[in-house]
Amino acid sequence: GAVVSQHPSRVICKSGTSVKIECRSLDFQATTMFWYRQFPKQSLMLMATSNEGSKATYEQGVEKDKFLINHASLTLSTLTVTSAHPEDSSFYICSARAPASGTTEAFFGQGTRLTVV
Amino acid sequence: AQSVAQPEDQVKVAEGNPLTVKCTYSVSGNPYLFWYVQYPNRGLQFLLKYITGDNLVKGSYGFEAEFNKSQTSFHLKKPSALVSDSALYFCAVRFTSGGATNKLIFGTGTLLAVQP
């Protein structure tokens, strides 16, 4: 299946700093990628849909100025958590589809555990 | 509103016994339904999907799921559970909303514990 790579897998940052998380589709081109957030023992909550070459579409309640998404190429989307606070600590997961391959399922990155201290 | 429900937070089965993880959905139109598995501190792995056709879908690692339109269900099953199947399982439905395509809505997840 298609491979989605997410980096870093784990990051600890100080409160007030910014953190960038990368999501790459390794063997396919992804015009659309998705960013999710997962709290402990809870489901995945869609934060935003990242579209290559255009602005991301954010879900209701997600601050676009705090969670900056850039999808500059067909294989890379980045999520930057700006001015991070302890409440931003969470597990962030990206996903992408490979429609050109004919598949309908999404492929997920390994996730990034963000801890803000 | 589109939604997915997993009524059980946790399912416990003995190794070798059959397992079922339940999922029901509510979506307008024809649903695309998926099952994913998540191991601790990892992303989601695709197990199987229903798009159209045969209601019984076979997937990875011996799992299967049955699409039941009348009951709006898509339960995940496996004839003989393994300890290594212990993980968090998510049911998901894909739909199109407001011009934004391919959104996946996830259920709350079911923690499967297979006991030796």
Side-chain angles (χ1 to χ4, degrees):
Chain A
V3 178
V4 175
S5 177
Q6 196 171 332
H7 178 81
S9 58
R10 188 180 296 268
V11 58
I12 301 173
C13 71
K14 292 184 177 180
S15 186
T17 62
S18 295
V19 174
K20 180 184 285 188
I21 302 170
E22 293 186 349
C23 181
R24 293 181 184 273
S25 55
L26 295 187
D27 51 0
F28 67 99
Q29 293 182 332
T31 55
T32 304
M33 291 185 176
F34 303 88
W35 287 96
Y36 294 85
R37 183 173 180 176
Q38 185 181 29
F39 291 102
K41 299 183 179 181
Q42 293 190 27
S43 187
L44 280 72
M45 300 301 297
L46 180 64
M47 298 174 66
T49 302
S50 170
N51 303 295
E52 187 269 336
S54 65
K55 293 181 179 181
T57 303
Y58 290 82
E59 294 300 301
Q60 191 173 7
V62 178
E63 299 176 59
K64 62 178 68 177
D65 294 331
K66 181 167 186 63
F67 298 100
L68 299 178
I69 291 174
N70 183 279
H71 194 158
S73 77
L74 287 172
T75 59
L76 173 64
S77 175
T78 60
L79 169 68
T80 301
V81 183
T82 62
S83 187
H85 291 284
E87 56 266 30
D88 297 325
S89 299
S90 191
F91 195 57
Y92 293 87
I93 306 176
C94 71
S95 77
R97 284 206 314 128
S101 67
T103 61
T104 51
E105 64 269 28
F107 298 93
F108 287 79
Q110 308 94 316
T112 297
R113 172 73 60 192
L114 171 63
T115 303
V116 184
V117 298
Chain B
Q2 326 284 356
S3 65
V4 177
Q6 292 180 244
E8 302 156 316
D9 291 337
Q10 187 171 11
V11 169
K12 293 182 180 179
V13 297
E15 187 175 28
N17 282 2
L19 69 86
T20 299
V21 182
K22 296 180 180 178
C23 172
T24 58
Y25 65 91
S26 174
V27 61
S28 56
N30 296 319
Y32 286 14
L33 296 159
F34 304 84
W35 274 102
Y36 287 87
V37 60
Q38 184 182 33
Y39 295 95
N41 293 310
R42 300 299 300 274
L44 276 65
Q45 295 178 30
F46 169 76
L47 279 180
L48 51 77
K49 64 183 176 185
Y50 172 82
I51 304 301
T52 185
D54 195 348
N55 290 343
L56 183 63
V57 178
K58 294 187 182 297
S60 306
Y61 313 120
F63 284 94
E64 58 187 32
E66 185 168 11
F67 172 65
N68 188 317
K69 189 172 183 178
S70 63
Q71 297 185 3
T72 62
S73 68
F74 188 57
H75 301 331
L76 181 69
K77 300 181 179 183
K78 186 172 183 179
S80 178
L82 299 173
V83 173
S84 57
D85 292 330
S86 299
L88 187 57
Y89 290 80
F90 288 101
C91 182
V93 62
R94 191 178 120 205
F95 69 102
T96 300
S97 172
T101 60
N102 307 321
K103 282 189 178 183
L104 266 183
I105 300 298
F106 287 87
T108 49
T110 299
L111 185 62
L112 173 65
V114 181
Q115 297 159 330

